[in-house]
Amino acid sequence: MYNELNQEIVDKIKKVCAKVYTGDDINPDYAKDEMPIYGTRMPGLAAVPTSTEEVAAIVKICYENNIPVTPRGAGTGLVGGAVPLYGGVLIDLTKMNKIKSYDLENFVVEIEAGVLLNDLAEDCLTKGMLFPPDPGEKFACVGGNVATNAGGMRAVKYGTTRDYVRAMTVVLPTGEITKFGATVSKTSSGYSLLNLMIGSEGTLGIITELTMKIIPKPKNVVSLIVPFENLRTALTTVPKFKLSHMNPQAIEFMEREIVLSSERYVGKEVFPKSLNGQDIGAYLLLTFDANTPEELDAMIEQAGELVLEAGAMDVLVADTPAKLKDAWAARSSFLEAIMEETKLLDECDVVLPVNKIADYLEFVNKTGEECGLVIKSFGHAGDGNLHIYQCSNDLAEDEFKKRVDTFFEKIYKEAINCGGLVSGEHGIGSGKIKYLAESIGEVNMNLMEGIKKVFDPKMILNPGKVCHRL
């Protein structure tokens, strides 16, 4: 299907890119992402370009010689999206990490795709601005966030990464350089190639530069830790915020066990475990922002009344920088905490209508028991995006994969029955193609495959991902 790398091709790539690695010099991390259960494969060559022109020159050589190309950012994906399944050439974009310029009159920032989310977020704050997308992995590349349309914790109020992409520079699989979008807030100018590229997971083109929308930083922010006796009571509270004309920046849910794991990992207790002799079973973590302290105080009071009437056991206010940092550090460490305590791990991030979450999670937990798996769940209650982890410390890997496949077959089917979708923000990669096909049907899969072939007639770019079935 593809040609093998030979010395002539390697030499050509070395002439157009200063940093090229082969053989034992290739970083072993390039063989996997953060979920290695979806496979590992070393590339034949790893290139680390520093400009769009270098990326284009590498890709053009690969296109002419029918060599597969896998683009990669920080490698923080969870569905095998950055694994070079066919070997070939891997292009590491992490050195393309410049924040190029701000245009504060038009509320945009121009960056290279390898800029880390954490670096962009912090740099924006120094300008009095906020980059609203807030995925849990702060040290992912923004280009990767765009490639998967990562959502994150603030999506309930501010939307997903897609809503903040104004324009991009893209290297097509042929090696051509093109630009999609513009520094404008609306368009009715033909098919939206910009939006087609967002969420395409590096299968249609390689994003090298981005123009991202930013907004003025809210002046006042507070978080509320709200404990409940059980998860159902916590989750059935969530729709009431919108119905009460409240607009939290984030609404996260978490069960007791995942909080205990996270606190062990970070080495600090943040969340209460019991109140008045009664055990706490679940929590909501809410964040509100406002322009004045008075406005924020009114929000806190209204939210407190709402959750207590809905069955909350208490309302704890994190209103200092230290308290805010501790609360969100514990939340942001959930995945790392699970990985620390688990030998075999898989995950899914289904997205559902918010009023279906409670019933669905009961189904998930029951199915996990039937399949003999330990299930740990948390996620974005405000937008219905659930992170469900399957864990085992005693099963053989083959048996674990078999049980997980059975588990997935059942819970994905139930998610679709509830009006949901396979993934809210992690993407499809190679690990979820089967479940995507089962959920959307052959007509839609064929449409996506057709789009892939238009952009990538030789199918060399990130093969075996999203809709390209092997």
Side-chain angles (χ1 to χ4, degrees), residues 48 103 236 253 280 308 310 313 320 408:
V48 188
D103 179 351
T236 54
F253 80 89
I280 294 167
L308 290 172
M313 298 169 68
T320 67
F408 279 160

PDB file of all heavy atoms in Angstrom, residues 48 103 236 253 280 308 310 313 320 408:
ATOM      1  N   VAL A  48      11.582  17.214  12.895  1.00  0.00           N
ATOM      2  CA  VAL A  48      11.149  18.257  13.824  1.00  0.00           C
ATOM      3  C   VAL A  48      11.332  19.609  13.132  1.00  0.00           C
ATOM      4  O   VAL A  48      12.342  20.290  13.320  1.00  0.00           O
ATOM      5  CB  VAL A  48      11.939  18.198  15.142  1.00  0.00           C
ATOM      6  CG1 VAL A  48      11.341  19.173  16.159  1.00  0.00           C
ATOM      7  CG2 VAL A  48      11.953  16.785  15.709  1.00  0.00           C
ATOM      8  N   ASP A 103      -3.623  41.049  18.128  1.00  0.00           N
ATOM      9  CA  ASP A 103      -4.393  42.146  17.558  1.00  0.00           C
ATOM     10  C   ASP A 103      -5.558  42.376  18.511  1.00  0.00           C
ATOM     11  O   ASP A 103      -6.622  41.772  18.376  1.00  0.00           O
ATOM     12  CB  ASP A 103      -4.872  41.779  16.155  1.00  0.00           C
ATOM     13  CG  ASP A 103      -5.712  42.874  15.500  1.00  0.00           C
ATOM     14  OD1 ASP A 103      -6.070  43.837  16.202  1.00  0.00           O
ATOM     15  OD2 ASP A 103      -6.027  42.742  14.300  1.00  0.00           O
ATOM     16  N   THR A 236     -28.925  15.670  38.567  1.00  0.00           N
ATOM     17  CA  THR A 236     -30.249  16.212  38.254  1.00  0.00           C
ATOM     18  C   THR A 236     -30.355  17.692  38.628  1.00  0.00           C
ATOM     19  O   THR A 236     -31.306  18.368  38.221  1.00  0.00           O
ATOM     20  CB  THR A 236     -31.350  15.419  38.976  1.00  0.00           C
ATOM     21  OG1 THR A 236     -31.073  15.368  40.384  1.00  0.00           O
ATOM     22  CG2 THR A 236     -31.445  14.008  38.426  1.00  0.00           C
ATOM     23  N   PHE A 253     -18.674  17.316  37.308  1.00  0.00           N
ATOM     24  CA  PHE A 253     -19.150  16.344  38.288  1.00  0.00           C
ATOM     25  C   PHE A 253     -18.051  15.326  38.563  1.00  0.00           C
ATOM     26  O   PHE A 253     -17.190  15.067  37.721  1.00  0.00           O
ATOM     27  CB  PHE A 253     -20.420  15.626  37.801  1.00  0.00           C
ATOM     28  CG  PHE A 253     -20.161  14.517  36.820  1.00  0.00           C
ATOM     29  CD1 PHE A 253     -19.926  13.217  37.252  1.00  0.00           C
ATOM     30  CD2 PHE A 253     -20.155  14.765  35.457  1.00  0.00           C
ATOM     31  CE1 PHE A 253     -19.685  12.189  36.350  1.00  0.00           C
ATOM     32  CE2 PHE A 253     -19.921  13.744  34.541  1.00  0.00           C
ATOM     33  CZ  PHE A 253     -19.685  12.456  34.986  1.00  0.00           C
ATOM     34  N   ILE A 280     -20.240  11.702  51.945  1.00  0.00           N
ATOM     35  CA  ILE A 280     -20.487  12.392  50.679  1.00  0.00           C
ATOM     36  C   ILE A 280     -20.192  11.424  49.536  1.00  0.00           C
ATOM     37  O   ILE A 280     -19.147  10.778  49.515  1.00  0.00           O
ATOM     38  CB  ILE A 280     -19.600  13.646  50.573  1.00  0.00           C
ATOM     39  CG1 ILE A 280     -20.002  14.665  51.635  1.00  0.00           C
ATOM     40  CG2 ILE A 280     -19.674  14.262  49.172  1.00  0.00           C
ATOM     41  CD1 ILE A 280     -19.005  15.791  51.834  1.00  0.00           C
ATOM     42  N   LEU A 308     -28.864  23.951  47.348  1.00  0.00           N
ATOM     43  CA  LEU A 308     -29.365  23.458  48.633  1.00  0.00           C
ATOM     44  C   LEU A 308     -30.811  23.000  48.512  1.00  0.00           C
ATOM     45  O   LEU A 308     -31.204  21.973  49.081  1.00  0.00           O
ATOM     46  CB  LEU A 308     -29.224  24.546  49.701  1.00  0.00           C
ATOM     47  CG  LEU A 308     -27.778  24.852  50.127  1.00  0.00           C
ATOM     48  CD1 LEU A 308     -27.733  26.076  51.028  1.00  0.00           C
ATOM     49  CD2 LEU A 308     -27.152  23.644  50.835  1.00  0.00           C
ATOM     50  N   ALA A 310     -32.012  21.778  45.879  1.00  0.00           N
ATOM     51  CA  ALA A 310     -31.969  20.565  45.053  1.00  0.00           C
ATOM     52  C   ALA A 310     -31.420  19.360  45.792  1.00  0.00           C
ATOM     53  O   ALA A 310     -31.404  18.250  45.241  1.00  0.00           O
ATOM     54  CB  ALA A 310     -31.124  20.829  43.809  1.00  0.00           C
ATOM     55  N   MET A 313     -25.616  18.973  50.215  1.00  0.00           N
ATOM     56  CA  MET A 313     -25.361  18.871  51.657  1.00  0.00           C
ATOM     57  C   MET A 313     -24.731  20.140  52.201  1.00  0.00           C
ATOM     58  O   MET A 313     -24.804  20.412  53.401  1.00  0.00           O
ATOM     59  CB  MET A 313     -24.444  17.677  51.915  1.00  0.00           C
ATOM     60  CG  MET A 313     -25.064  16.351  51.486  1.00  0.00           C
ATOM     61  SD  MET A 313     -23.869  14.983  51.479  1.00  0.00           S
ATOM     62  CE  MET A 313     -23.531  14.787  53.220  1.00  0.00           C
ATOM     63  N   THR A 320     -10.366  32.457  47.079  1.00  0.00           N
ATOM     64  CA  THR A 320      -9.014  33.000  47.104  1.00  0.00           C
ATOM     65  C   THR A 320      -8.189  32.288  46.035  1.00  0.00           C
ATOM     66  O   THR A 320      -8.524  31.173  45.632  1.00  0.00           O
ATOM     67  CB  THR A 320      -8.343  32.798  48.470  1.00  0.00           C
ATOM     68  OG1 THR A 320      -8.128  31.384  48.679  1.00  0.00           O
ATOM     69  CG2 THR A 320      -9.205  33.360  49.590  1.00  0.00           C
ATOM     70  N   PHE A 408     -17.854  -1.479  25.713  1.00  0.00           N
ATOM     71  CA  PHE A 408     -18.057  -0.392  24.763  1.00  0.00           C
ATOM     72  C   PHE A 408     -19.253  -0.644  23.856  1.00  0.00           C
ATOM     73  O   PHE A 408     -20.030   0.268  23.567  1.00  0.00           O
ATOM     74  CB  PHE A 408     -16.805  -0.177  23.914  1.00  0.00           C
ATOM     75  CG  PHE A 408     -15.723   0.629  24.581  1.00  0.00           C
ATOM     76  CD1 PHE A 408     -14.412   0.561  24.127  1.00  0.00           C
ATOM     77  CD2 PHE A 408     -16.006   1.468  25.634  1.00  0.00           C
ATOM     78  CE1 PHE A 408     -13.413   1.302  24.723  1.00  0.00           C
ATOM     79  CE2 PHE A 408     -15.017   2.220  26.246  1.00  0.00           C
ATOM     80  CZ  PHE A 408     -13.709   2.138  25.786  1.00  0.00           C
TER      81      PHE A 408
END
